[in-house]
Amino acid sequence: MAKCDKCSNQSKFFLPYGPHKYCNKHFNSFFEKRFKKTIRKYKMLSKNEVIVVGVSGGKDSMVLLHLLEKFYSKEQTIKALSIDEGIPNYRNKAIKVALKEIKKRNIEFKLVSFKKKLGKTMVDVMKKTGRNKTIGSTCSYCGPFRRKLLNETAVEMNATKIATGHNLDDEVQSIAMNFFDNDLKRMARLGAITKGSKGFIPRIKPLYLAPEKEIIAYASLNKINHFSEECCPFSWQAKRNAFRTMLNEMETKFPGTFYSILSFFENLKPSIQKKEKTTFCKKCNTLSSGTLCSACLKLEKIN
Ligand SMILES: [Zn+2]
Ligand SMILES: [Zn+2]
């Protein structure tokens, strides 16, 4: 194998979009530098913030927590929040991993559940949605409910920012899905940082420029414990899987496609946002495209 771009060691990582070739050490520093650069570039943090990290136990959120602690815990307060959607044999296992890691770190932590806060687990939702197309698929309930609880609980924890583990692949999939759906309203809400308002904490995605594969590599290099069986048992319903497959194929054939889609979106974003004005839910203050947010609408539908 070829040499590292930065030293005379053998390269262990080949990143075709650069192209970059790095040894373990230089891959690590490349990954960490990009993380800090992302936070600066999108002005994600100012001084003395209270950052509530959404921790699911998966690789993204565990790497995010690790990096925020490593580089920002001196100037910022870092707290963790886990949400239990009530998906048996999945989230309970992931949360166990999350809790173990969080306890090691001695940071303020909260665990909230769909059951307690909404009166329904995702299994209850699935029983209602089943094949009933008019109220939407099971998976379309999970995200809005999770975002709603994330915000409400972060408010209780005095957060000034909510940090989530969304990576480059996630974001590019969302952009493509909104493009295929002709959904400008939703597309306007994407991006590295979401504006806040009274009762709505701004959300940041510090792993926004990190490809999923590299997060997996970083987690393994740095021995970051995480729950790796990441496929939700309900996700056979998710349209996202089809987009993931298609986009990964494009990235393999044409390296750099992901960053190119992201840049296209960022060039377009100001005009989309001018057209699609940001509004907030009358009931719970969450960012919303109508009078009520999708979580509040969906709660009405299944109750
Ligand atoms: Zn090197
Ligand atoms: Zn709402």
Side-chain angles (χ1 to χ4, degrees), residues 8-145:
S8 60
N9 287 332
Q10 266 204 348
S11 73
K12 291 275 166 59
F13 295 93
F14 176 57
L15 315 177
Y17 58 80
H20 305 295
K21 299 185 295 297
Y22 294 126
C23 66
N24 284 351
K25 184 184 141 201
H26 286 110
F27 169 76
N28 236 10
S29 58
F30 166 78
F31 189 92
E32 290 178 346
K33 257 186 218 154
R34 182 179 52 203
F35 176 79
K36 290 186 275 186
K37 212 173 109 188
T38 308
I39 289 181
R40 280 197 309 273
K41 181 180 174 189
Y42 298 98
K43 300 184 174 65
M44 290 184 180
L45 297 173
S46 33
K47 281 190 180 137
N48 300 315
E49 301 246 21
V50 178
I51 310 163
V52 166
V53 187
V55 180
S56 69
K59 60 178 187 331
D60 302 313
S61 59
M62 295 318 295
V63 165
L64 174 61
L65 187 63
H66 168 90
L67 288 168
L68 284 172
E69 279 243 289
K70 182 166 178 180
F71 298 110
Y72 296 92
S73 58
K74 282 201 188 97
E75 305 144 42
Q76 319 283 6
T77 307
I78 295 164
K79 301 181 179 184
L81 167 59
S82 289
I83 294 174
D84 184 356
E85 300 96 339
I87 304 171
N89 285 319
Y90 173 67
R91 187 58 81 217
N92 48 344
K93 286 185 191 166
I95 283 174
K96 227 183 224 171
V97 178
L99 283 178
K100 207 173 139 196
E101 288 305 305
I102 289 162
K103 278 175 186 157
K104 271 190 216 163
R105 293 179 153 84
N106 196 24
I107 55 175
E108 192 185 318
F109 167 75
K110 252 193 177 181
L111 170 64
V112 297
S113 69
F114 276 22
K115 183 80 192 164
K116 264 204 186 132
K117 292 271 181 176
L118 307 170
K120 285 200 166 37
T121 65
M122 276 310 290
V123 173
D124 299 329
V125 172
M126 188 188 63
K127 282 178 189 155
K128 281 258 178 177
T129 52
R131 305 218 174 274
N132 184 342
K133 289 271 185 272
T134 54
I135 59 172
S137 75
T138 311
C139 294
S140 69
Y141 284 75
C142 198
F145 286 175

Side-chain angles (χ1 to χ4, degrees), residues 148 281 283-286 292-293 295-296:
K148 180 182 165 71
C281 174
K283 215 169 172 182
C284 74
N285 301 318
T286 298
L292 289 182
C293 72
C296 288

Side-chain angles (χ1 to χ4, degrees), residues 81-263:
L81 167 59
S82 289
I83 294 174
D84 184 356
E85 300 96 339
I87 304 171
N89 285 319
Y90 173 67
R91 187 58 81 217
N92 48 344
K93 286 185 191 166
I95 283 174
K96 227 183 224 171
V97 178
L99 283 178
K100 207 173 139 196
E101 288 305 305
I102 289 162
K103 278 175 186 157
K104 271 190 216 163
R105 293 179 153 84
N106 196 24
I107 55 175
E108 192 185 318
F109 167 75
K110 252 193 177 181
L111 170 64
V112 297
S113 69
F114 276 22
K115 183 80 192 164
K116 264 204 186 132
K117 292 271 181 176
L118 307 170
K120 285 200 166 37
T121 65
M122 276 310 290
V123 173
D124 299 329
V125 172
M126 188 188 63
K127 282 178 189 155
K128 281 258 178 177
T129 52
R131 305 218 174 274
N132 184 342
K133 289 271 185 272
T134 54
I135 59 172
S137 75
T138 311
C139 294
S140 69
Y141 284 75
C142 198
F145 286 175
R146 197 171 43 237
R147 284 192 291 275
K148 180 182 165 71
L149 292 197
L150 203 56
N151 185 62
E152 286 177 5
T153 318
V155 170
E156 293 165 19
M157 295 168 86
N158 301 313
T160 57
K161 292 278 159 60
I162 294 173
T164 60
H166 290 92
N167 60 40
L168 176 67
D169 300 42
D170 297 329
E171 192 74 5
V172 168
Q173 285 154 19
S174 300
I175 295 166
M177 285 168 81
N178 291 331
F179 171 54
F180 276 52
D181 282 343
N182 183 28
D183 195 338
L184 281 182
K185 276 191 162 59
R186 277 202 186 179
M187 203 185 268
R189 302 207 297 260
L190 293 175
I193 176 161
T194 315
K195 263 187 291 178
S197 138
K198 196 178 175 294
F200 184 72
I201 317 273
R203 282 195 296 256
I204 56 171
K205 301 173 184 166
L207 293 173
Y208 183 73
L209 298 179
E212 183 170 54
K213 275 185 194 156
E214 293 175 36
I215 294 175
I216 296 170
Y218 183 85
S220 115
L221 267 181
N222 294 277
K223 300 189 170 55
I224 296 167
N225 283 333
H226 61 278
F227 179 68
S228 52
E229 200 184 309
E230 287 231 45
C231 211
C232 169
F234 294 162
S235 71
W236 56 273
Q237 293 182 345
K239 199 174 177 178
R240 187 169 284 272
N241 289 339
F243 278 84
R244 177 181 293 120
T245 308
M246 172 186 75
L247 290 163
N248 286 353
E249 202 184 315
M250 294 301 284
E251 178 66 28
T252 308
K253 277 189 189 157
F254 311 107
T257 298
F258 282 8
Y259 284 122
S260 171
I261 293 174
L262 201 72
S263 303

